[in-house]
Amino acid sequence: MNEEHEFNIRQIQRALRILHKNGEDIPIVYEDGIFGEETERAVIAFRAQNGLSANGTVDYETWVLLMERANEFIRKNAEPFPIFPYVSDEEDSVLPDEEGKAIWFLQAMLIAIAERYSGIDGVVLNGINDEATRNAIKYIHRCEADENCDGALTRRTWNSVARLFNAI
């Protein structure tokens, strides 16, 4: 370690470990907070692979490059962020033949559901609670033994479709 800069050893080890786990030819490192032989070997390998002199020193240039490389793998392999698209504050219900932002999301879910299950046909992304969308809504309600559905997008409809969507 270079004494000019105080770098967190666990962060160095975590970054080296991330690179190792993602196929880089770097020896495995355990996060123990000790800059021992294991960590030094991994730093030597990392520096050599990145055109730096093959020594076990973590200077500023090495630190920045190591953090950048590890963060690339983290961003690339991160779990997608979930979204919560129901716009209940703007639309409590979208009636037949009305347009609405929530209908776009509902139609996208219905199209995905239709790829897996029969009974939902002809839904297209147009943001309008058109006949095909209403028929799909009614079909899902009938499957839930709810015959009292007029095809409107309500919170109950949204929840039914979202549960089915999440199941696929």
Side-chain angles (χ1 to χ4, degrees):
M1 286 282 289
N2 186 334
E3 293 185 25
E4 271 183 53
H5 300 282
E6 297 264 338
F7 299 116
N8 185 300
I9 295 170
R10 286 187 188 274
Q11 285 181 316
I12 293 168
Q13 292 169 330
R14 185 174 306 119
L16 290 165
R17 189 170 174 82
I18 288 167
L19 295 175
H20 170 81
K21 285 183 170 184
N22 284 282
E24 295 287 315
D25 191 20
I26 295 174
I28 185 76
V29 175
Y30 297 97
E31 293 179 46
D32 60 7
I34 300 168
F35 199 96
E37 290 179 25
E38 175 185 273
T39 303
E40 185 176 13
R41 278 194 305 274
V43 169
I44 290 168
F46 174 78
R47 288 179 58 96
Q49 288 177 16
N50 288 280
L52 304 172
S53 60
N55 64 47
T57 302
V58 177
D59 56 11
Y60 183 74
E61 181 182 16
T62 306
W63 170 264
V64 169
L65 186 58
L66 180 60
M67 294 304 122
E68 285 174 355
R69 296 288 316 287
N71 283 328
E72 283 175 31
F73 283 109
I74 291 169
R75 282 189 300 274
K76 185 173 93 177
N77 297 315
E79 289 293 319
F81 287 109
I83 62 170
F84 305 98
Y86 187 66
V87 286
S88 60
D89 292 343
E90 295 178 25
E91 304 164 343
D92 200 36
S93 179
V94 181
L95 300 174
D97 298 317
E98 287 185 343
E99 294 183 42
K101 294 174 190 168
I103 291 290
W104 288 97
F105 291 105
L106 179 81
Q107 288 170 332
M109 288 189 293
L110 289 169
I111 290 167
I113 292 166
E115 290 181 15
R116 191 88 180 261
Y117 297 103
S118 61
I120 299 173
D121 301 309
V123 176
V124 295
L125 284 172
N126 61 15
I128 300 169
N129 191 355
D130 58 17
E131 184 177 359
T133 303
R134 287 193 305 275
N135 288 339
I137 290 171
K138 290 176 185 178
Y139 177 77
I140 289 172
H141 280 284
R142 280 194 307 275
C143 290
E144 292 184 333
D146 178 7
E147 298 293 332
N148 300 321
C149 177
D150 63 358
L153 170 57
T154 62
R155 288 175 191 234
R156 180 161 185 227
T157 303
W158 180 269
N159 290 340
S160 296
V161 173
R163 274 192 304 274
L164 189 54
F165 178 77
N166 286 332
I168 62 168

